[in-house]
Amino acid sequence: MTRPGFHLAIPVDDLARAREFYGGVLGLPEGRSAEAWVDWNFHGHQVVTHVVAGARAESGRNPVDGHDVPVPHFGLILSVEDFHELAGKLRAAGTEFVIEPYQRFAGEPGEQWTMFLHDPAGNALEFKAFRDESQLFAR
């Protein structure tokens, strides 16, 4: 790896639905698994879905660029082409977006495409793509 990878464990209430979403819709390769968890290859990073009983609730929302962003959330920074390809795949799968794919901060430092959605267990995900990835931390 050229960059360190991250590991993130998230709660889900149904592994079959997690497999359908992470493996089927997002197309992530499945790694090790057991009765109560599954490892996913999240583009070279390890995301683990662990079965946890009980409903999940969002902690809150934060206003960004006129939208209420769900917090907490996690996701990936993709190329613009991959972002639009994923948006199409998510639409085809009938995904309900929290924030529809759109271009944020147009003409400003950090110009990007972004979209927010929930997995079947209610975990919020953001996928984004920068016009210029060198602007990732631009102010």
Side-chain angles (χ1 to χ4, degrees):
M1 284 187 190
T2 57
R3 294 189 236 188
F6 71 82
H7 164 86
L8 176 66
I10 58 172
V12 299
D13 56 0
D14 185 325
L15 274 185
R17 290 179 63 206
R19 279 188 165 105
E20 183 180 300
F21 178 75
Y22 288 96
V25 176
L26 295 182
L28 303 180
E30 185 174 326
R32 290 181 304 276
S33 67
E35 188 175 312
W37 56 270
V38 176
D39 283 347
W40 299 101
N41 180 343
F42 198 63
H43 295 261
H45 303 284
Q46 185 184 47
V47 170
V48 185
T49 49
H50 286 272
V51 174
V52 175
R56 280 197 29 93
E58 222 172 67
S59 293
R61 300 223 172 199
N62 192 13
V64 179
D65 193 38
H67 294 275
D68 288 329
V69 170
V71 178
H73 66 263
F74 71 98
L76 287 173
I77 299 166
L78 304 168
S79 70
V80 173
E81 180 181 331
D82 288 347
F83 174 90
H84 290 292
E85 182 179 320
L86 178 59
K89 184 188 289 188
L90 290 166
R91 282 189 175 110
T95 301
E96 184 177 321
F97 292 95
V98 175
I99 299 173
E100 290 278 340
Y102 82 104
Q103 189 175 31
R104 175 193 283 173
F105 311 131
E108 299 178 31
E111 179 180 316
Q112 62 192 264
W113 286 89
T114 187
M115 61 180 146
F116 287 83
L117 55 129
H118 286 117
D119 74 4
N123 297 297
L125 289 89
E126 176 186 18
F127 295 94
K128 59 172 66 180
F130 285 80
R131 181 177 52 85
D132 175 357
E133 197 172 325
S134 74
Q135 297 267 309
L136 182 63
F137 298 105
R139 299 170 94 174

